Amino acid sequence: MVPAGKLIIIGGAVDKGSFSESNFEKEVEKNLNFFETGILKKLIKESRLKEDSRIEVITTASKIPRIVGPEYLKAFEYLGATNVDVLHIETREQAMHVSVTERIKKADVVLFTGGDQLRLTSILGGTEMHDMMLAKYQNEDFIYAGTSAGAAAASSSMIYQGSSSEALLKGEIKITSGLGFIDDVVIDTHFVHRGRIGRLFQAVVSNPRTLGIGLGEDTGLLITNGNMMEAIGSGLVILVDGRQIKDTNITQVPMGAPISIKNLIAHVMSHNDVYDLAQRELTIMDDIIAFNEAEDE
């Protein structure tokens, strides 16, 4: 079944400036790279009612929710979206409250902030709120958006632990079930800055059907129809495809030993590039734009 909704997953470390600073208006060019690269603008544009869409910012993953929430309110207000509120959910008991499900029922967009993705799955997983979001994504013009932890938790399989420096040692990467909005992918965030390519390699070699998605900082994917992925933002998206792997020693070596992989395929996406998850095909959009311009001359 093709979902009616959309996903927007963001790599984290977004440069949105500090909206708690009194002088941010005077330094818009410095502070608003987040908007200039179009991620939040894209979210508003793709939402059902645009600037009038009901947006719930959910801070469950964060250790500083009372600081993070107001920052997003100011960011959205700056972009003209004022029907926005923050939903603080810190326990499963809170997640199960009828007031929470009523707010999710009315939402056009939910945006999960960064933090710890295991908090998201352990607090929200299997609640009525979780089920309602999944149903809205399948049947309505609804957006699930997440940055950092919120992005990592979007898929059915989720990386929740693993050292970047030791990522290609067997057993260093820990994977559990995510929130289940998209299958057959695993998402890692803060990808470029924290050097996490090895984490994706091990996640993919463990099950080559899974496509590894590495989101750079201030970079994301807009996913429509459940499989069309468009790169948004200022940085890079790394895709790791394991279907053509010819050999690996992962089942032979002991825990903690280095892993070898033969014929692992990687792609690099930048702004506007499109990847068809169903066909496993990357289209570099600048090539198409250049071709069309040449045809018009």
Side-chain angles (χ1 to χ4, degrees), residues 36-65:
E36 291 175 353
T37 55
I39 295 180
L40 269 191
K41 282 184 179 179
K42 188 76 168 178
L43 185 152
I44 294 169
K45 180 180 178 181
E46 293 289 335
S47 66
R48 186 173 71 92
L49 298 176
K50 311 301 188 269
E51 285 81 4
D52 293 326
S53 291
R54 179 61 183 170
I55 301 172
E56 293 284 1
V57 178
I58 301 177
T59 59
T60 302
S62 178
K63 294 180 180 178
I64 50 171

Side-chain angles (χ1 to χ4, degrees), residues 166-211:
E166 298 179 344
L168 279 176
L169 302 182
K170 182 177 177 178
E172 283 297 318
I173 305 305
K174 305 294 190 268
I175 298 176
T176 189
S177 298
L179 295 176
F181 286 88
I182 184 168
D183 297 327
D184 297 330
V185 304
V186 63
I187 301 161
D188 212 350
T189 58
H190 300 281
F191 195 70
V192 177
H193 182 68
R194 299 185 187 178
R196 289 178 165 175
I197 188 71
R199 299 199 341 169
L200 270 193
F201 285 172
Q202 184 165 169
V204 170
V205 76
S206 299
N207 184 354
R209 179 182 178 85
T210 301
L211 179 76

